[in-house]
Amino acid sequence: MEEPQHQLDETVVCFLSDEDVIYEATQIFDALSDYTRFQILAALSLERRGVSELQELCHVSQSAISHQLRLLRDRGLVTARREGQRVIYALADEHVATLIGVGISHAAEMTGKEGE
């Protein structure tokens, strides 16, 4: 069995020159760079949620949440499923959860708050 870092290195080497893959990766990180979008993704990493729940957590208007969710869906980071009158959002897959977890963990380490 290969070690995870070795697999990651092979993936990077394999796609380093692939313009389509690099472009899509930059689009993902662009989406992650917005405060509200990152908050939305972090909340969704804990559980699926509707727009009103996300609005409450992020302290922004419903239209702002809807706009950010649309962008996150377009970037392939979240999915939506209708449950009656509500639309429930979830992370697209475990890759997104990993990105959010690593980002928060690294930020906590950088700020000296990792033990809190």
Side-chain angles (χ1 to χ4, degrees):
M1 176 184 245
E2 288 188 67
E3 301 218 6
Q5 182 60 46
H6 182 69
Q7 291 173 347
L8 184 57
D9 292 346
E10 285 182 4
T11 301
V12 171
V13 168
C14 181
F15 292 109
L16 190 57
S17 299
D18 188 314
E19 290 182 18
D20 294 332
V21 172
I22 297 297
Y23 176 78
E24 289 301 321
T26 63
Q27 293 303 293
I28 290 167
F29 283 100
D30 178 62
L32 294 174
S33 70
D34 178 82
Y35 186 91
T36 301
R37 289 192 295 263
F38 196 91
Q39 269 191 312
I40 290 168
L41 292 169
L44 294 176
S45 74
L46 301 173
E47 65 181 310
R48 302 173 315 126
R49 299 175 193 265
V51 172
S52 59
E53 295 168 286
L54 292 168
Q55 179 185 354
E56 234 178 83
L57 286 167
C58 298
H59 307 290
V60 295
S61 69
Q62 180 180 345
S63 63
I65 290 290
S66 295
H67 172 75
Q68 300 300 353
L69 285 166
R70 189 169 31 260
L71 186 141
L72 292 169
R73 282 181 71 188
D74 290 347
R75 303 280 170 92
L77 298 173
V78 300
T79 60
R81 188 177 80 230
R82 184 166 290 284
E83 290 183 0
Q85 297 283 333
R86 294 180 54 198
V87 177
I88 302 298
Y89 292 88
L91 295 184
D93 60 31
E94 280 302 309
H95 293 112
V96 182
T98 299
L99 286 170
I100 298 304
V102 168
I104 288 175
S105 176
H106 189 66
E109 183 180 301
M110 289 175 57
T111 59
K113 297 181 179 180
E114 71 272 12
E116 292 182 15

